[in-house]
Amino acid sequence: MLNPFAIGMPSSYLFSEIARRVASFQENHGADGPRVIRMGIGDVTRPLPRACVEAMKSAADEQLSAATFRGYPPDGGYDFLRNAIAGHEYRQRGVDIPPDDIFISDGAKSDSANIQELFDNACVVGVTDPVYPVYVDSNAWAGRLGNYTDGKWDKLVTFPCSRDNDYVASPPDKHVDLIYLCFPNNPTGIAATAKQLREWVDYANRHGAVIVYDAAYRAYITDPGIPRTIYEIDGAKTCAIEICSFSKTAGFTGTRCSWTVVPRELYRDGASLRALWSRRQATKFNGAPYIVQRGAEAVYSPEGQADCAATIAYYSRNARKIRQTLEDAGIEATGGVNAPYVWMRCPDNMDSWTFFDFLLKEARVVGTPGSGFGRRGEGYFRLTAFGSHEDTDEAMDRVRSLPRKL
Ligand code: PLP
């Protein structure tokens, strides 16, 4: 009577196991040494832009009067926000996305988990390894990945990302129907070049595949040659859906707002994916709150843009510092340049959890074991740049003394 694939899901123990180990460490050693610094979770710490808060306050005030009160929002989002996104995120980059191909939502996590509902259960799904786990789990839940045995889903195709391919896989030799790509990548912190993305777009158009492109971290790209949207690549509109978020750009992790582009040019099996997504959202989603959409719109005011740029610069400085510290210590590390994540090889061939315990014990720094992001993540570790400068500097001072202890 229950969904057997839901029952068969392996427990998602990564962050609970981290919390358990940290709690147990603090219970045993908390009093006798420096405090634990957390560089594990992907949540932000800097406040919202003032312009966003002011916009939300006045949108809240509007709810006091019948003349300005808002009820259910339109399924796809308010035009004011769709227009602002089309202008600032796309037209300014020379990409024409009609506002009504942009669907406002309450988070990139939910959209990236829900988008698979448009696809046949027989679809072959492919993901990079390591990977943000939502793409895999949502397809497993729907029964598309078969059984989970020996740490693997038997029907899932993985594209290994390692130092050998600079952490950006090339398209596979075999056929895949539904492909998830995320750039700049969580967890590796790598941004894909136009040439690399073109290979995937060409593959998808050739195979009739669809790419779900998660660009949640695009605001961290500083290199002008790196695409910020997959639609900078010719042919992407006939094969790619793009998911973006205000979470890491404007601090909306708690406020919740995102968007998904489903281009009107994207058809499979004679059907418009845009029409299907619109139908899906109308059926299962009642829209992101008006107040929040007004807050997101203010991201594009001059003050909002200045505050977002300052916050991203703040985190990016941490990212550079983490990467530099690791490299100076002779530890192999990637990311941290066009992304808020640094991906490091665990020293001395330690596995991810052994290094987690080592770093906690020796430096009192908490990171995320790479094995939590897939089999290819084993032996790696993720550090995030979302902390304060003070915490990041102190953590890196502690890390600097580690190699001597190895
Ligand atoms: N996509 C990626 C790759 C992420 O790393 C995250 C959050 O960590 C999300 C999506 C979630 O974004 P949102 O807060 O909009 O749900």
Side-chain angles (χ1 to χ4, degrees), residues 344-395:
M344 57 173 284
R345 185 110 183 83
C346 301
D348 273 8
N349 289 324
M350 278 188 244
D351 67 43
S352 300
W353 279 110
T354 304
F355 183 67
F356 175 92
D357 291 333
F358 171 82
L359 195 65
L360 179 58
K361 179 163 169 279
E362 297 293 332
R364 299 192 178 217
V365 170
V366 178
T368 312
S371 53
F373 299 98
R375 287 156 74 90
R376 297 281 171 157
E378 181 54 274
Y380 288 84
F381 204 71
R382 189 192 74 174
L383 292 172
T384 75
F386 292 124
S388 66
H389 285 173
E390 295 72 21
D391 276 3
T392 305
D393 290 353
E394 187 175 337

Side-chain angles (χ1 to χ4, degrees), residues 107-109 132 135 182 186 214 216-217 245 247-248 256 258 341:
K109 183 172 187 175
Y132 175 59
Y135 322 139
C182 168
N186 175 13
D214 185 337
Y217 299 98
S245 172
S247 283
K248 309 300 164 75
R256 313 302 302 145
S258 69
Y341 295 115

